[in-house]
Amino acid sequence: MTALRLLLSRIASLASGRRMDDRLDEEMASHVEMATEDLIARGLTPVEARREALKQFGGMTQTREAHREVRGFAVLDALVQDLSYTVRSYSKSPGFTVVALVTLSLAIGANTAIFSLLNALVLRDLPVRDPDSLVQMTTLNRASEEDYLTFPMFQALAREQRVFSSIVGAWGNSVENVEIDSELTKGLVWAASGNLYGELGIAPAAGRLLVPGDMTIDPPSATPVVVLGNTYWQRHFHGDPAAIGRHVQIAGVPYTIVGVAPKGFTGLGLTMEPDLTIPLAAVPLLFGRPVTSYATSGVPSLKIVGRLQPGVTLDQARAHLLTLWPAVLHAALPPDYTGARRDDFLATRLSVASGRKGFEIGLRKRFTRPLLIVTSISALILLIACVNLASLMLSRAAARAHEIGVRLALGASRSRIARQMLTEGVLLSLAGGACGVLLAFWICRVMTATIFEEYNVAILFSGTPDGRVVTVTAMVAIATGVVFSLAPAWRAAKESATEALQKHTRAVSGTGRAGRLLVATQIALSLVLVTNSSLLVRSLAELRAVETGTERSDDVFVAYPGEARPGAFAKIDNDAYYPQLIARLESIPGVRRASASLMKPANDGTGFIEVVSPVAEPLDLARGAESMRTPVSPGFFEAVGIPVVKGRDFAWSDSARARKVTVISQSLERRLFGDANAIGRHVRVGVQPDRQDVEVVGVVADARLYDVKNPNTFAAYMAALQDPQVNGKCLVVRATNLALPLVKREVEALGYEKVGNMVTLRYITDRAQLQERMTATLAGFFGGLALLLSAIGLYGLMAYTVAQRQREIGIRVALGADPWRVTTEVVRDGLAVTGIGIAAGGTAALGSVQLVRSLLFGITPHDPLTLVAAPASLVLVALVACALPAARAARTDPMLALRAE
Amino acid sequence: MPADRSDVFHGTLALMILKTLDGLGPQHGYGIARRIEQTSGNKLALNQGTLYPALLKLEQMGWISSKWGASDNNRRARYYSITRRGRTQLKAEADNWSRTSDIIARFLAPTEDPA
């Protein structure tokens, strides 16, 4: 209370410094005059009286200064002094300064970078009006996989719900053909309900945005209008407002441009700016279907967000929506869903969550947990850096005992010395923090670029530090500085001048206990970190060593073709086209086998999962074998290197008109038919009516084609020509040195398709393991950093100890002690500190590994190799760190050591 | 952290100022200085300038307050007076001081024991 009052009045007087100076001057003047008058009255001459009065008063300047000091100017003055002293003292020990700065920059930079990404991905709110009252709805299927809602569900919810003041829907994004003045371009198309922009408080950059009048939900209808994205507007219309009123064709349908969205608007997500936004009800037009067909759609592709009515909580809204849900499902059931497909649909569950962070299901699912783990690891490294610097600062303070003694003897107060230590620490950590933020910008840019490498659209996701991150970093830096200078400050505060001055000549081990404690703490923390990061690195190695059962060389290429112009696919006769396309590809020199597959191999593991069961048995969805359904063309197995074990590969004769056939994996054969031969048997694949009786014509070896981590190798390959969606395929080609232009030439020569890009299967596999690689790389880096810091800490301690004991060692050597014994003694000393650290950190390390359990693949958290290797690496590092000081101790020249006294 | 040496001095001076203002009522800096010197039987020759930082500190603590006024011969001077909080503080300090001086006096009193 008193301290607060003092502080406040000091701040007040700081602000009124001039006035206070004037007041004091006037008081002093009147004081001296009164004294002079008194003295004159006592019989002195005016001149004598004035001189005597001034003498009694003492120094006017000193009084002014003392007065200012009470007022608080002194705090600033002293700070400036401390700072200049600090800079001088750091420039005198550049080695220490560089080590400390590098340590701090790395630790703070890493923390800032990771926190920035976490902030951007998880913490930051959607930049819209009142994001707190937004609620988002998604669905969960039988396998608890998160998906969006269908249009009829949206209709039913909008009709029945009583908890939202409004409910908005959005669809996409999807890359579509866009024609501007008959020039064909690609555009990222998004669709939004008419009330979306108004509800989110988005203002147009030009013209108008979509309004409720642009569409109706029930029955679905839409006027053909489109809102341009800002970047798209700049790129294709040079930011010209005259674009409004012009027409564009999206997937062959004309739309009128009505306005432009504001810069940086990324819809309900965080990453992608839509190029063109159409009314939600117009989505079926993109697929060549009438708008009215949306009323019976079963495709879950709508992102639905509601705005809570005032006074309604998220929990109340959830409870209300869940009671409505069964009725919504029945209302939304597509009429052609029957049997198992109907049951499957009706088993869909609703998930209700806060909508303030926006929809980034895939991105968050992949990166949130790894980022949290890496955040903890990087926080730990900061703590280790703190302890490391504390021990270095302590040694430094001990080495400066003489200097401190001199300052104390010259009348510096203890608090001033301690404050000096704090100033030094905070200045150092702020400098480190500044470097760290710069480093963080770089790390963030690299990491963001890596995460979004495969997206072919403009990414607005900003993972770089923002105001919040920089503020947090500055606070962390100051706290770091205070924490690691506490030990030396405390030491300085209890220093006595005489002792400190004597210490220069007397070998007293001053920091011994505290220094050891700090280094042991550091080693304990390092053990926790090194154990966890080793586990993550080992886990990645396990993942890479998994036998996938497919070709892993760089000889398998995957190319992604697309429709050459709107409507081109509609003209294709698949049965004639695909044999021709594959033959053309196989005519390219170096190509061994070409094929088509509807599933992109080795993507993030989501795909067509269907329950497969023999036709001979009654259908039971809960007991069937969940298998990956993959439509592929003939030659696919050879192209990716999966051997055909029994029966045959697909043939071009397995066409849309022929009987339905499948090739299953060995494990699925065993599961469905035991030891019996599956060839010629009939199975059901999923719930679609046309796949209820499919003949098994072949059996292939097991392969982890899509998700390396998924041990489930049940697979039912289908004939590509028998799948109505065959045109959405990718091309899988086994070849040596396949060049994209050759593939383009052959595919485009047929006139229906264009080839966008091509990558190797190995590249896709690596991409799929991005989060594991990222986590393991960062964790490995931090683990190495922790080891390095341990080495520095231990080296500092041992070098200091040896320097302190120089005289004692000198005497012993003079008396004939064995230098080897001196060496081992120093090493043993260092190992003792390490041992204490390892013992203390062991339990913590064993407990902490549970946190990374969910990220591990192929090893348990108590992986024996790791649990031995982590402490062993610390011991090794300790040995190296002690070697130099130990060697120096052994070489001590007795004469020099004794003379130094 | 032990108090600064100067703090100890400020402490005694503060006590003297508070006591003076308590006894005398509102008084300007010179008056306080004279009074302290007189009370000490002119044994204490104050560096009168040191009074002003001490007065400011007491004012910051809220133990005294000050305002401009006119002196006996109509000169503008800053008058200090003790506040209610100041009186409480004075009583606590005075008790503390007399206890301390009592103890010190016992230590310094001549003892029978020659050792």
Side-chain angles (χ1 to χ4, degrees), chain A residues 2 5-6 9 20 23 26-27 30-31 33-35 37-38 42 56-57 63 66-67 70 413 415, chain B residues 1-2 4 28 30 34 46-49 52-53 56 59-62 66 68 73 75-76 78 80 85:
Chain A
T2 310
R5 170 190 279 272
L6 208 58
S9 70
M20 295 295 282
R23 169 183 145 180
E26 196 176 342
E27 275 192 272
S30 81
H31 181 115
E33 276 172 41
M34 284 191 272
E37 278 164 22
D38 268 7
R42 272 195 254 154
Q56 281 179 8
F57 190 85
T63 302
H67 202 256
V70 174
S413 68
S415 59
Chain B
M1 211 172 288
D4 282 299
H28 49 66
Y30 176 66
R34 289 287 300 146
L46 211 52
N47 245 349
Q48 292 169 357
Y52 290 93
L56 179 62
E59 200 176 343
Q60 285 176 347
M61 302 297 280
S66 73
W68 290 112
N73 31 16
R75 195 181 299 284
R76 209 164 103 91
R78 189 91 183 165
Y80 295 88
R85 281 164 50 84

Side-chain angles (χ1 to χ4, degrees), chain A residues 117-133:
Chain A
L117 288 176
L118 194 71
N119 178 40
L121 190 65
V122 185
L123 303 180
R124 212 181 277 164
D125 281 348
L126 212 55
V128 299
R129 178 166 60 84
D130 190 14
D132 274 329
S133 66

Side-chain angles (χ1 to χ4, degrees), chain A residues 553-859:
Chain A
S553 69
D554 281 329
D555 292 351
V556 183
F557 295 85
V558 182
Y560 302 96
E563 203 169 21
R565 81 189 69 76
F569 279 156
K571 300 186 191 106
I572 294 183
D573 170 15
N574 293 342
D575 290 356
Y577 176 71
Y578 281 96
Q580 207 183 343
L581 175 71
I582 300 301
R584 268 185 172 272
L585 287 173
E586 289 186 338
S587 73
I588 299 173
V591 170
R592 284 166 55 194
R593 204 75 167 92
S595 65
S597 163
L598 238 73
M599 284 274 302
K600 282 76 181 166
N603 64 6
D604 61 3
T606 56
F608 311 129
I609 297 169
E610 312 260 28
V611 173
V612 178
S613 56
V615 173
E617 290 171 17
L619 176 61
D620 182 356
L621 278 184
R623 282 192 50 244
E626 286 199 343
S627 318
M628 191 67 79
R629 176 175 65 85
T630 313
V632 299
S633 80
F636 174 80
F637 300 119
E638 202 181 326
V640 296
I642 301 175
V644 178
V645 184
K646 258 185 263 180
R648 62 170 177 93
D649 184 6
F650 294 112
W652 291 119
S653 55
D654 299 321
S655 66
R657 282 171 290 277
R659 54 173 299 112
K660 295 272 186 299
V661 291
T662 181
V663 172
I664 60 175
S665 64
Q666 272 180 307
S667 52
L668 184 60
E669 180 192 34
R670 206 169 311 118
R671 163 73 195 269
L672 296 182
F673 305 105
D675 293 331
N677 191 343
I679 306 291
R681 306 284 282 267
H682 290 240
V683 293
R684 293 189 192 92
V685 180
V687 290
Q688 289 270 16
D690 58 337
R691 289 199 290 265
Q692 293 308 302
D693 183 2
V694 183
E695 185 184 340
V696 179
V697 295
V699 175
V700 292
D702 289 339
R704 298 189 182 189
L705 201 51
Y706 302 105
D707 183 358
V708 171
K709 283 187 279 187
N710 190 348
N712 179 7
T713 52
F714 294 159
Y717 301 91
M718 311 292 290
L721 291 180
Q722 295 178 345
D723 195 295
Q725 280 158 13
V726 61
N727 291 328
K729 85 260 152 222
C730 61
L731 300 170
V732 181
V733 182
R734 176 87 162 265
T736 40
N737 289 326
L738 188 62
L740 179 61
L742 291 176
V743 175
K744 266 180 174 304
R745 199 185 64 199
E746 294 302 326
V747 174
E748 288 167 16
L750 289 171
Y752 297 109
E753 298 186 81
K754 275 175 150 179
V755 177
N757 64 329
M758 184 173 79
V759 290
T760 63
L761 186 55
R762 185 203 289 270
Y763 171 83
I764 309 176
T765 314
D766 285 353
R767 284 292 313 177
Q769 296 167 359
L770 178 65
Q771 67 271 46
E772 285 86 1
R773 272 191 302 141
M774 213 170 78
T775 320
T777 308
L778 288 170
F781 168 73
F782 289 136
L785 194 59
L787 286 178
L788 183 68
L789 290 180
S790 299
I792 293 174
L794 203 57
Y795 170 80
L797 177 72
M798 295 325 291
Y800 173 75
T801 313
V802 167
Q804 292 270 295
R805 290 179 53 200
Q806 203 176 29
R807 183 161 180 259
E808 174 214 320
I809 295 172
I811 292 172
R812 285 172 54 194
V813 172
L815 293 175
D818 179 5
W820 174 246
R821 210 168 133 192
V822 174
T823 311
T824 48
E825 210 170 276
V826 173
V827 172
R828 205 185 309 137
D829 193 21
L831 285 183
V833 175
T834 312
I836 293 169
I838 289 176
T843 329
L846 281 179
S848 72
V849 291
Q850 296 304 333
L851 296 177
V852 297
R853 175 192 279 275
S854 66
L855 292 187
L856 295 183
F857 174 83
I859 52 171

